[in-house]
Amino acid sequence: VGSHWDISHESLSLFRLLEPQIEILVLGTGDRVERLHSAMLKQMRECGIAVEIQDTPNACATFNFLMSEKRMVAAGLIPP
């Protein structure tokens, strides 16, 4: 995934396969917060995974905070 345009059902499938299952996926979309297709977000919610989309620096901070709370979290980060 090189940009937010490359994020697809297939690229998110890894996060649905993780064991133990994650509860939150933090996506960092580079320098800016970018919108993703609503069908992808709906599919993740249906699998029980909340998706938080932020610019990458803030996504890193959110991931670290959630980890410190011992939450089941994963991150997908596109470099700014």
Side-chain angles (χ1 to χ4, degrees), residues 25-40:
L25 171 60
V26 181
L27 289 177
T29 56
D31 290 324
R32 303 178 342 174
V33 177
E34 301 288 353
R35 296 181 62 106
L36 298 184
H37 196 278
S38 60
M40 285 188 286

Side-chain angles (χ1 to χ4, degrees), residues 2-76:
S3 77
H4 74 282
W5 296 109
D6 300 327
I7 298 173
S8 65
H9 291 288
E10 292 77 26
S11 65
L12 294 177
S13 66
L14 166 71
F15 299 107
R16 294 189 300 272
L17 299 173
L18 295 175
E19 287 293 332
Q21 182 176 346
I22 61 170
E23 56 184 291
I24 302 170
L25 171 60
V26 181
L27 289 177
T29 56
D31 290 324
R32 303 178 342 174
V33 177
E34 301 288 353
R35 296 181 62 106
L36 298 184
H37 196 278
S38 60
M40 285 188 286
L41 302 176
K42 181 181 178 191
Q43 181 184 39
M44 296 300 281
R45 281 193 307 271
E46 289 172 351
C47 293
I49 301 171
V51 179
E52 180 68 33
I53 302 169
Q54 300 177 338
D55 60 87
T56 298
N58 284 315
C60 291
T62 299
F63 174 82
N64 289 334
F65 176 77
L66 292 169
M67 285 295 295
S68 74
E69 289 188 330
K70 308 283 191 243
R71 305 287 296 272
M72 297 303 294
V73 62

